[in-house]
Amino acid sequence: MKREYLELQQVSTHNLKGFDLKIPLNALVLITGPSGSGKSSLAIDTIAQEGKNRLLKILNYDKEFYVTTSYQATFSSSMPPVFALAQGVRNWFPYKTVGEFLGLVKVLEVLFLLEGEVFCASCGAFNRVHSISQVISWYETLKEGTKFYFLVPLLEITPKAIEYLVSQGFVKYLIDDREIDLSEEQLPQSFKEVFLILDRMVKEGKGRDRLVENLRISFSLSNGRFFLKTTEGLQAQFSLRPVCFRCGSILPVGWSYCKTCGGRGYKQKVACDTCDGLKLREEVLKSRIGDFSIEEILRLDLKNFKEFLSRFSEIKGLDTFIKSLLYKLEQAEFLEIAYLSLSTPVFKLSVGEKKLIEVLQVLTADLTHCLFILDEPTLGLEVEQRVKVLEFLKNLVKKGNSLLVVEHDPFFIYEADFIIELGFEGGEKGGYLVKADFNPLYFEKNCTLTSAYFSGEKRIVKKEKTRETEILEFSLPLGRVKILSNRINLIYGRPGSGKTKVFHQLFEFLVNQDKQVVFSDLSVFRRKEDWVIQYLNLWDLLREVLSQLPSARVKGLTKKHFSFTSKEGVCVGCKGKGKKIYKEEETVIEVLCEECLGKRLSLEVLNLEYKGFKIFEVLDFTIEEAFQVFSNLPKVKEKLMHLIDIGLGYLKLSQEVQTLSGGEKSRLSLIKNLTEKKQVEYVFLEFPFEGLHLEDINRLHQWIEKMVAKPMTFIILETNPLALFLADFLTEVKHQKIIFQGFFEDWLKAQPETLKEKFAFYQRFVAKF
Ligand SMILES: [Zn+2]
Ligand SMILES: [Zn+2]
Ligand SMILES: [Zn+2]
């Protein structure tokens, strides 16, 4: 069979350098390359965007604002439908529960309408509420010629009420199972059960019309409540209106939501008092399907929910839907996340759990001939789960799909069908297509950065430590934990193991002890419009210097004039926003401010010169360039040096922090926090290898080694297999307990052979000195 390709020409979105590219379809295609080399620009901002645009065109969303033109490339081939899971998807619906996210609550809702028994808050009875088609289905199952009664229960069973009905012509009754005609006989002295016999029917040709007519009458007689009872004793109770069969009270209609929280379940991460985060009305929670109340079902874990659901897999019309969910739940067991309950909100999941839920949701959709675009599907996962996700991806390809995955795990690169490598560095020095080839051709000749790591030409160097260490012991709520001082300590475990808790508890403990602690904090990136230079508080240092320039003083410029926020400093054209925003109907158009060209400051300031560069140009410098120009300013130099060391030298001073990747943000924040402390004893890093290429990991690791030698103690939370090789001391957390503390080599010895083999693959990337 001839292979089809997705063909792109002149790809020049963001920093991409206008290359042509042929991507094979029906294959596992992997995109790799160092930080900032343009991987997301290619996968998410170009290909996923084109896919979305093509889809919107079909759907006739031809309005301009739906089609963003920010990507630049020509597509000269047809394209399968695209499903893109960009980083950050996992934060879209924090208050959704696992059950909602996976479509399990939806099936529960349907089952509830079909099979549920609604709880009556007035009398405690359980009621079925039926549709007319359910009555007809029951009728259709009867054998031809079967005789049956259409019985109506009486709300009031007093002789007076019965007398009235008789006067209206309703004379036939079933009293304690005996048929009595009250126009001929007297009402017995005592009895237990009375039904009005609305009709005696036979299952036959025209019987259905008569049945529907009787249903109509039952609405006015008994609010749509009735029994059908065959002469052989087969009986069914129906209720067409949401009214209690026993006491006549009004029942909640369908799947109704908690009134206190409006069905949101949570507010600012706290569960609603009324529904305890289950989102439904009390009567619905107490209602039941089979032997379980809805509340009990929502609290089931995925494993037990699978058993519950399998009982309904034969329901006509629902069977395909339920079978697809059962398959999904089976895969949840395979990925080892079946311990999560339906009602767990997404915000409570760990990074790895979110990733697995996402992968599960998309990859169990029974689709073929689609293009899936994934960004780092291994994030937060440990080795065995990574292997499982890879199997998942391969299965999707077997089903006829195409996969485009941005990923750096060397095992994924090794197993991919086709590898696209971007380079050579980040930012302006990046955006080149270094190599795009099938496996194993890609690995031949070792001419790329990535393949150099595979051939052993390059390795991540782990230094043997000479400086003395001390075992520090801390008593945390989750148990005693040991840490080696002046070493790299790794806290490791599967998603949901409790490792993050240990990490945070240790952090809080040390802060409370007044230790000098530094960590990377992503929450400080909330001010999205900030530039790198502002975020680092570098601009404050620089404007101090710049306002002292003779040329500035001549013009009467002060520090205020160098501010992005003061009225003296900002560009009058855009009031310091750098862009102008127009609204045309529903369309929002952003245009670069033509006065300051996005540099936010007044022209008076932008035109000043420092060492022969206009401020305008200075703001466009990369960190590396700025390091050369400002080398005479020690404080500025120190920050910039760290950033270069840690692999961020390619970032522009005026880059908006919101455009940075997770890995870039975490390193940037680390350096900011580190350089703003006089003395640092402990450094906490949460998933520092997120989104990092082997080369970036290498740089980051060298930087950590340098800091450790100062000395500093590092505590790292990471699941990347390479982290185990690079750390000096390992803490494993499982089931909310610390189960191992010691050296990786000793830990590995105690692991099963299959796991040892998996780790052996990663060993080649690390060299010890
Ligand atoms: Zn009732
Ligand atoms: Zn509520
Ligand atoms: Zn402006």
Side-chain angles (χ1 to χ4, degrees), residues 570-580 592-601:
V570 297
C571 161
V572 281
C574 60
K575 298 199 173 67
K577 288 193 178 67
K579 58 200 166 196
K580 286 178 181 169
L592 200 68
C593 170
E594 68 272 17
E595 225 159 296
C596 63
L597 293 178
K599 295 291 177 287
R600 299 182 181 180
L601 294 168

Side-chain angles (χ1 to χ4, degrees), residues 120 122-123 125 244 247 249:
C120 169
S122 311
C123 74
C244 176
C247 73
S249 300

